[in-house]
Amino acid sequence: MNLIDELLLQKPLYTFGFTHKLMRAFINHTEEAIDASIAAYKETGPSVDKIEICPEEGIYQYAYHYQGLYEHMGDVILDDVVENYFPSLQRRSALLTLIATYEHELEKFCNFYSQENETPVKLNDLKGCGLERVHLFMTKLIGLKNSQSFSMIKKLIKLRNSCAHNDAKITTNDGKEIPAIRTLIDDTSIKVRQDGQHVFIEKGFLSDVLEELNSYISEIQKVIEKGKA
């Protein structure tokens, strides 16, 4: 058990070790569901509707559909939707859950830390919101300086915000490219890519995000341990 978990012993479910395991299971479940959905589609394929144009001359059109989506006259390509768009959409949704969960747990930890140490400043006294306000607390109250992980987490927050509010577009509503998202796309070690005006999230990205968040927790732990020494 690490030091942070010891600090939170009074609330057994409120430990970052549990959060990490919970989110690992959640990511595994998400990827298994994606794989199963693609496999089912490949096995059964879309249904086909035969549309009569001129039966006397044997002229017909064919409309392919799958789970309420229709591929007709090239407006929708079902293979691409099921095998690419849907998986990315599911991972986008999972990214929101993953970051929101750590955001919530870190906010609770900040409040717990303030209570236990009677800090003169509380989390709600600080400007901002979410993980950025959490990080401000960590720098001012716990002494976390020059975090290696949070520089990446800031970029992930930008991507999360775009997924939540702008359909995972790489640009703002006024058409300006978002630098943080461009940096993620251009880094070949990060499992995202550009798909038109949107970000496509590949398999493995969620696991990498989880480990980045876990590394941030480790940085906090080391600072607390150093202060206790």
Side-chain angles (χ1 to χ4, degrees), residues 188-217:
T188 57
S189 68
I190 298 173
K191 299 179 181 68
V192 299
R193 59 180 171 83
Q194 185 172 345
D195 182 18
Q197 291 301 307
H198 305 268
V199 175
F200 179 88
I201 299 180
E202 300 175 333
K203 187 172 186 177
F205 177 73
L206 294 173
S207 293
D208 291 345
V209 173
L210 176 61
E211 293 316 309
E212 197 68 58
L213 291 164
N214 196 49
S215 294
Y216 184 61
I217 299 299

Side-chain angles (χ1 to χ4, degrees), residues 25-37:
F26 170 66
I27 291 169
N28 290 343
H29 176 77
T30 299
E31 293 297 343
E32 287 170 3
I34 289 171
D35 290 343
S37 179

Side-chain angles (χ1 to χ4, degrees), residues 149-199:
S149 292
F150 197 74
S151 60
M152 174 57 72
I153 290 172
K154 285 177 67 176
K155 298 181 181 70
L156 297 174
I157 292 170
K158 292 292 186 181
L159 177 57
R160 185 275 304 269
N161 291 344
S162 181
C163 289
H165 306 298
N166 201 27
D167 195 26
K169 288 184 178 179
I170 64 173
T171 59
T172 59
N173 288 330
D174 58 4
K176 294 181 180 179
E177 192 170 80
I178 303 170
I181 294 180
R182 170 52 60 191
T183 300
L184 293 174
I185 292 171
D186 289 345
D187 189 337
T188 57
S189 68
I190 298 173
K191 299 179 181 68
V192 299
R193 59 180 171 83
Q194 185 172 345
D195 182 18
Q197 291 301 307
H198 305 268
V199 175

Side-chain angles (χ1 to χ4, degrees), residues 15-229:
T15 69
F16 289 104
F18 174 78
T19 301
H20 184 267
K21 291 178 181 177
L22 181 68
M23 290 296 99
R24 166 55 58 199
F26 170 66
I27 291 169
N28 290 343
H29 176 77
T30 299
E31 293 297 343
E32 287 170 3
I34 289 171
D35 290 343
S37 179
I38 293 173
Y41 174 78
K42 288 182 175 180
E43 181 178 352
T44 63
S47 301
V48 183
D49 291 338
K50 186 176 181 180
I51 303 170
E52 295 182 349
I53 303 299
C54 184
E56 296 81 5
E57 298 183 13
I59 301 175
Y60 300 90
Q61 284 186 350
Y62 297 89
Y64 300 87
H65 59 92
Y66 185 75
Q67 294 187 346
L69 283 176
Y70 279 82
E71 178 178 306
H72 180 57
M73 300 297 289
D75 54 348
V76 174
I77 302 175
L78 287 176
D79 287 0
D80 185 55
V81 169
V82 175
E83 297 177 28
N84 293 295
Y85 180 75
F86 277 173
S88 182
L89 189 64
Q90 287 172 271
R91 293 182 185 117
R92 281 159 49 180
S93 177
L95 177 65
L96 303 186
T97 299
L98 175 57
I99 292 182
T101 298
Y102 267 86
E103 183 176 86
H104 177 66
E105 294 302 317
L106 280 163
E107 286 176 343
K108 287 171 64 178
F109 172 73
C110 291
N111 292 330
F112 182 86
Y113 185 91
S114 288
Q115 180 180 351
E116 290 297 299
N117 294 276
E118 299 181 350
T119 61
V121 177
K122 306 295 190 293
L123 180 65
N124 288 339
D125 296 329
L126 300 174
K127 293 182 179 180
C129 60
L131 287 176
E132 292 185 331
R133 183 171 66 169
V134 164
H135 187 63
L136 187 59
F137 181 94
M138 297 302 175
T139 57
K140 289 185 174 294
L141 277 301
I142 294 182
L144 177 62
K145 306 293 184 183
N146 303 316
S147 169
Q148 297 298 310
S149 292
F150 197 74
S151 60
M152 174 57 72
I153 290 172
K154 285 177 67 176
K155 298 181 181 70
L156 297 174
I157 292 170
K158 292 292 186 181
L159 177 57
R160 185 275 304 269
N161 291 344
S162 181
C163 289
H165 306 298
N166 201 27
D167 195 26
K169 288 184 178 179
I170 64 173
T171 59
T172 59
N173 288 330
D174 58 4
K176 294 181 180 179
E177 192 170 80
I178 303 170
I181 294 180
R182 170 52 60 191
T183 300
L184 293 174
I185 292 171
D186 289 345
D187 189 337
T188 57
S189 68
I190 298 173
K191 299 179 181 68
V192 299
R193 59 180 171 83
Q194 185 172 345
D195 182 18
Q197 291 301 307
H198 305 268
V199 175
F200 179 88
I201 299 180
E202 300 175 333
K203 187 172 186 177
F205 177 73
L206 294 173
S207 293
D208 291 345
V209 173
L210 176 61
E211 293 316 309
E212 197 68 58
L213 291 164
N214 196 49
S215 294
Y216 184 61
I217 299 299
S218 295
E219 289 180 340
I220 298 168
Q221 172 192 340
K222 289 177 182 177
V223 172
I224 293 176
E225 288 176 344
K226 185 177 180 180
K228 295 288 185 178

